[in-house]
């Protein structure tokens, strides 16, 4: 995650000073020495300390989340990556790209008001600058949303994600990545059983038989728990006012408005694409094998099923012939 920072600013860590603190204590239990240094050296405070679990009881959240008094955190912690949980859309996209998640309960016509994390960080820094320079008389609320300006619907996100999975696949997915959104509870439960629970059970059974520890059912349990917590947000839409955010954008210079793209390592994509093609070939072969088995068991051995099969084929042939003749007459 920090490779670019290390490359452009090798000594960036010299600008970071960790301070011991405790979320649930008054003033975060910061020592008097550290507090004195903060009061004398710090001009802008970014209050980013909060629990993000949506299923915690309200009294627990109030206890764990520091209030908006002069209580703040200055502890810096490097993460192993952008995604370390499934409490956000990125976690689900990765799980879907790996072929683990194939169904999501969601209303495809609702607005997916999601913002990339780097843009949210940029806005936070900009708000700090504006507040320190202009000193607003009252606190300003900045809603950083895209729904009112350039809405992205969950259905659009599904199509974009599917296209991205094919063009830029992840390495060695569990199966062919494809995901379907549905607002129907019954359809979602059916797809959970067919595309999540059953394959995960069989895969873990395979791991047990070869002497390895099962893992997929446990992973899916975590994912589905997080999915249930987010269902309310994927099944509803809201309208947000972004007046203060638009005002803030106008205050920036053209240089500050520039957007920078991350330079991702794309070297592994050809191998991943080849792996996806291999999975698709195996998938088609399994379908063909299953069709032959069904034919041998249910059709070839039953005269009635045999007659019904050919009757259906004849109807399809007549229908196609009718369409062809009708098209010719229109021309």
């Amino acid at each position: 995650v920090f490779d670019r920072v290390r490359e452009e600013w090798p000594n960036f860590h010299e600008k970071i000073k960790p301070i011991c603190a405790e979320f649930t204590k008054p003033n975060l239990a910061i020592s008097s020495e550290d507090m004195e240094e903060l009061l004398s050296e710090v001009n802008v405070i970014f209050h980013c300390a909060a629990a993000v679990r949506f299923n915690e009881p309200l009294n627990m959240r109030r206890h764990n989340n520091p209030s908006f008094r002069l209580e703040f955190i200055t502890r810096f912690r490097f993460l192993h990556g952008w995604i370390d949980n499934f409490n956000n859309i990125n976690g689900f996209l990765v799980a879907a790209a790996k072929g683990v998640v194939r169904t999501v309960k969601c209303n495809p016509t609702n607005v997916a008001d999601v913002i990339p994390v780097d843009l949210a960080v940029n806005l936070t820094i900009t708000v700090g600058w504006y507040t320190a320079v202009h000193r607003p008389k009252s606190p300003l609320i900045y809603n950083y949303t895209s729904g009112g300006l350039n809405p992205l619907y969950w259905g659009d996100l599904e199509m974009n994600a599917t296209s991205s999975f094919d063009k830029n696949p992840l390495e060695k997915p569990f199966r062919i990545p494809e995901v379907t959104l549905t607002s129907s509870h019954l359809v979602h439960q059916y797809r959970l059983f067919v595309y999540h629970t059953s394959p995960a059970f069989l895969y873990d059974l395979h791991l047990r038989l070869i002497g390895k520890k099962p893992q997929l059912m446990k992973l899916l349990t975590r994912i589905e728990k997080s999915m249930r917590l987010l269902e309310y947000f994927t099944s509803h839409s809201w309208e947000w006012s972004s007046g203060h955010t638009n005002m803030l954008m106008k205050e920036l210079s053209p240089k500050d408005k520039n957007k920078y793209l991350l330079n991702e390592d794309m070297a592994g994509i050809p191998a991943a694409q080849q792996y996806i093609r291999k999975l698709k070939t195996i998938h088609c072969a399994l379908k063909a094998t299953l069709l032959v088995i069904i034919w041998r068991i249910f059709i070839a051995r039953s005269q009635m099923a045999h007659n019904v099969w050919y009757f259906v084929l004849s109807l399809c042939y007549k229908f196609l012939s009718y369409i062809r003749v009708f098209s010719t007459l229109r021309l």
Side-chain angles (χ1 to χ4, degrees):
V1 174
F2 298 100
D3 288 343
R4 180 178 175 183
V5 179
R6 294 189 184 97
E7 181 180 347
E8 297 183 7
W9 295 284
N11 299 324
F12 76 97
H13 60 280
E14 296 178 358
K15 299 181 179 181
I16 300 174
K17 181 178 180 180
I19 291 179
C20 294
E22 170 56 50
F23 286 174
T24 61
K25 302 296 182 181
N27 290 324
L28 301 186
I30 298 176
S31 67
S32 57
E33 294 81 6
D34 290 336
M35 181 64 73
E36 182 65 27
E37 182 178 2
L38 290 172
L39 293 175
S40 60
E41 300 292 337
V42 174
N43 296 320
V44 178
I45 298 171
F46 294 98
H47 187 305
C48 302
V52 295
R53 294 183 179 180
F54 300 133
N55 61 337
E56 281 187 339
L58 183 59
N59 60 342
M60 183 67 69
R61 291 183 63 84
R62 293 181 62 184
H63 178 68
N64 288 338
N65 289 344
S67 65
F68 285 91
R69 298 176 292 167
L70 186 59
E71 297 179 346
F72 48 88
I73 182 169
T74 56
R75 179 172 57 186
F76 294 81
R77 178 169 59 95
F78 292 120
L79 302 178
H80 294 293
W82 286 111
I83 304 162
D84 64 342
N85 58 62
F86 295 100
N87 292 333
N88 54 70
I89 187 64
N90 291 346
F92 291 115
L93 289 177
V94 171
K98 279 292 188 178
V100 178
V101 170
R102 281 199 166 183
T103 179
V104 176
K105 188 180 180 184
C106 170
N107 189 338
T109 62
N110 284 345
V111 175
D113 229 333
V114 293
I115 294 292
V117 64
D118 52 337
L119 297 184
V121 171
N122 290 345
L123 177 68
T124 303
I125 296 174
T126 307
V127 169
W129 160 79
Y130 182 84
T131 303
V133 172
H134 296 277
R135 302 288 182 177
K137 295 182 179 180
S138 60
L140 302 180
I141 305 299
Y142 299 88
N143 294 320
Y144 199 16
T145 59
S146 61
L149 300 175
N150 185 25
L152 173 68
Y153 300 94
W154 288 110
D156 298 332
L157 183 61
E158 175 192 9
M159 291 187 293
N160 293 337
T162 302
S163 175
S164 178
F165 296 159
D166 188 53
K167 295 179 181 178
N168 306 301
L170 299 184
E171 295 182 0
K172 295 184 178 180
F174 171 66
R175 54 186 168 180
I176 300 174
E178 55 183 46
V179 62
T180 301
L181 308 182
T182 178
S183 57
S184 170
H185 177 74
L186 291 178
V187 173
H188 180 60
Q189 292 301 316
Y190 166 77
R191 292 183 62 84
L192 281 178
F193 177 77
V194 174
Y195 296 109
H196 287 190
T197 305
S198 298
F201 174 79
L202 294 176
Y203 182 74
D204 281 355
L205 179 61
H206 163 71
L207 292 179
R208 289 180 183 275
L209 292 176
I210 62 176
K212 293 185 177 181
K213 184 179 179 180
Q215 53 184 341
L216 196 53
M217 282 295 294
K218 183 178 180 180
L219 175 62
L220 275 176
T221 300
R222 285 184 54 210
I223 294 176
E224 291 174 6
K225 181 179 179 181
S226 298
M227 289 171 62
R228 287 193 297 270
L229 296 177
L230 293 178
E231 279 182 9
Y232 183 83
F233 301 96
T234 58
S235 302
H236 296 79
S237 290
W238 293 268
E239 294 184 4
W240 301 95
S241 173
S242 56
H244 290 153
T245 304
N246 296 335
M247 174 274 297
L248 188 64
M249 295 302 177
K250 295 178 182 179
E251 294 290 330
L252 297 177
S253 65
K255 181 180 179 180
D256 289 333
K257 291 181 181 179
N258 289 338
K259 297 180 177 64
Y260 299 93
L261 299 178
L262 294 176
N263 295 320
E264 300 291 346
D265 184 8
M266 312 296 280
I269 288 182
Q273 290 175 333
Q274 184 177 0
Y275 190 84
I276 291 293
R277 288 193 292 268
K278 179 181 177 181
L279 286 180
K280 289 182 178 180
T281 301
I282 295 174
H283 185 67
C284 292
L286 289 176
K287 281 187 174 181
T289 303
L290 182 61
L291 181 61
V292 171
I293 293 175
I294 293 176
W295 171 270
R296 296 295 300 174
I297 294 178
F298 297 103
I299 297 179
R301 296 185 180 183
S302 171
Q303 185 62 38
M304 180 178 294
H306 191 272
N307 294 337
V308 171
W309 174 256
Y310 278 101
F311 175 73
V312 172
L313 288 180
S314 64
L315 284 180
C316 293
Y317 176 77
K318 290 180 180 179
F319 178 75
L320 293 175
S321 300
Y322 171 78
I323 294 296
R324 185 168 59 252
V325 172
F326 182 74
S327 300
T328 304
L329 291 177
R330 291 189 61 182
L331 294 175

